[in-house]
Amino acid sequence: MSLDKLKLSKPLIAAMNDAGYISAKEIQAKTMSRIIGGQDIIAIGPEGCGKTTTYVLGVLMKLKYSTDEAPKVLILVPDGERVEAVIAEFMLLSKNRNLRIIGLYGTGGMDDDIQVLLDGIDIVVATPTRARAVYLKLGLNLNRLQTFIVDDAEVIVKQGMQLPVAELARSAGKVQHLIFTTVVHDKLNLMIDQFMNFPTTIEVEDLGDSQAETHELLLYHVPNFKTKVNLLNLLLRDDEVFDKVVVFVNTRLTAQKLGKSLHAAKPGAVAVLNPLFFDEEGFDHIEDFKESPEARVLIVANEGNAGIDLSGIHFMFHLEVPELKETFLSRVVKEGDEELVAITFATDLELAEVRKIEQSMGKKIDVMDLPEDLVIDKVAKAAAIKTKKEIVEGPKGGGAYHEKKESNSKTHNYGIGQKAKMTMKKKHG
């Protein structure tokens, strides 16, 4: 799409061209008119799809020259590195205007920052905790604020900074709210429901033109780790289908704990690769596991176990999403003729990593329905009931809840056993 279609000012178009932008991104095409028009929006898109540039352009289009001391725009980001990156993008695209902008982050003294704010500022880019601290010191005036932006919102939630975001948003009163995130989930909705009023949700996928050839990929979205363990125990009851499986976790300590949490019908059925302690059930090499008739489940920690040979293994579980997407991709990208089903369990806070993996593969992972007889962890169950009640009655502070995009909805209702048997039947048929 041509940049002209965004209806930006001529100076902004020139700045975009000088910066090397030759066409508009999909997210810019879908959101720019709404941002300029003053609508509240939740913009969802993968890393690199142009979210930051989108709101920078929107702010620069709307911001009028003023000598007011109080800022007009507050942008919250997860850390100091992002603060500097956002400021750099503003400076890149605003070379034709005298822009007053400040970054607030860190934990040191605030006197210098407060003095700059009192002298007059247009845009504040800050971490939520730093912005709240300066606000409580009466150094950040939100009375004239027009636009309240949260970028990398899913990271802010993952870092537990929902409270300062919500407090600052409520203190700002009636302003335009813009949320930019790679994924939306219950924890994020609980934060933005406190201050947003029925926003428009816009989502882009931007999965790329090419798709990697992978093994069969399935995804279960679960509330917490305990429920993951319950789900794994439930699925592994079908020893006819899951006769030999590998379960990946992130650390050796988690592998050790999981080994004690899985139900083993027979001695030696569950083992750990390279266990932490000599008296634990385990193997030093995966080949020993493959050759052992008693061993059925092998738990493998990602740390210290790179390049595991999965030949002859038909099922693997990622109980935790690997910290590096390359670790996941190295196991699921198809290289030979062997068939393998890769099943991933992800919580709300892991969904962002799943989206990065999908972007790298160029395709979505099929989402499975949770079994009806799955025991949901009690704490998560209570939170889910509360969330559901708030949605039915209507959220008190906002209304950011939105229906899932069709492409993100569950794609089928096959039980895992049926799906696995179909895959194996196709393999051996």
Side-chain angles (χ1 to χ4, degrees), residues 136-176:
L136 293 177
K137 277 273 204 177
L138 304 180
L140 179 59
N141 184 352
L142 301 179
N143 292 334
R144 300 291 184 89
L145 204 67
Q146 298 171 357
T147 309
F148 184 97
I149 301 171
V150 183
D151 194 9
D152 290 332
E154 80 288 350
V155 181
I156 285 175
V157 171
K158 188 173 183 178
Q159 294 179 353
M161 294 188 286
Q162 300 97 308
L163 179 61
V165 172
E167 286 185 355
L168 289 165
R170 289 195 297 265
S171 300
K174 189 175 181 180
V175 298
Q176 180 186 24

Side-chain angles (χ1 to χ4, degrees), residues 247-288:
V247 180
F248 289 102
V249 294
N250 282 335
T251 67
R252 294 179 69 193
L253 182 60
T254 303
Q256 174 198 351
K257 292 179 178 178
L258 180 62
K260 298 176 181 178
S261 301
L262 293 184
H263 303 153
K266 300 177 182 178
V270 176
V272 177
L273 185 66
N274 298 317
L276 274 176
F277 304 113
F278 68 91
D279 57 344
E280 288 183 353
E281 290 286 346
F283 296 99
D284 293 330
H285 304 284
I286 192 170
E287 297 304 323
D288 297 332

